[in-house]
Amino acid sequence: MPPDVEAVAEQVFIALADPSRRAILAALASGGPATATDLADRLPITRQAIAKHLALLAEAGLVTAEPGERRRVRYRLRSAPMRVAQQFLAALARDWDGPLGALKDHLDRSAAAPRPPEIRGHRD
């Protein structure tokens, strides 16, 4: 996997690790582009905290800042980094499918194999 894909995926996972950032992304997904003030009106997060979270989300490439009217900045979702993270996870899943399938087959064969009878009363 190319290092740039891993770097983008890492930034996305770091951004998604915080519940406030996930709430901001969900608000942007459901309500469309918004300013930090708009988001503060919709979420139980201060405007200052939202601004900090938006900066990290922008750094990860998940949102982009667009100039709006009266010097207000609106934030819009960007899906490209999320797609990169999804591809990263899909590649990991493919890498695990073979070994996990082999383990399942082994366990299924072991469970179906006849067991030797127990020897009772035998002393060593």
Side-chain angles (χ1 to χ4, degrees):
M1 189 165 304
D4 57 330
V5 170
E6 288 189 28
V8 170
E10 179 181 8
Q11 289 290 41
V12 169
F13 297 140
I14 289 169
L16 294 177
D18 184 274
S20 294
R21 289 192 288 271
R22 291 193 305 269
I24 291 168
L25 290 173
L28 289 172
S30 66
T35 65
T37 302
D38 296 335
L39 291 166
D41 289 343
R42 290 192 249 168
L43 299 168
I45 308 169
T46 66
R47 191 197 139 334
Q48 292 79 8
I50 286 176
K52 288 180 182 180
H53 288 301
L54 284 168
L56 194 141
L57 291 168
E59 186 179 311
L62 291 167
V63 298
T64 186
E66 301 173 342
E69 70 278 352
R70 295 181 295 167
R71 298 183 333 189
R72 294 182 71 186
V73 177
R74 298 180 74 75
Y75 292 87
R76 177 183 302 277
L77 285 179
R78 290 190 63 243
S79 60
M82 194 67 78
R83 282 195 303 272
V84 171
Q86 287 173 323
Q87 291 167 351
F88 178 86
L89 290 173
L92 285 178
R94 280 190 304 274
D95 290 346
W96 275 92
D97 285 346
L100 288 176
L103 176 61
K104 180 186 180 306
D105 292 345
H106 172 75
L107 294 174
D108 289 346
R109 282 192 307 274
S110 295
R115 297 180 185 256
E118 285 186 32
I119 300 173
R120 296 179 189 247
H122 177 55
R123 294 187 183 184
D124 290 330

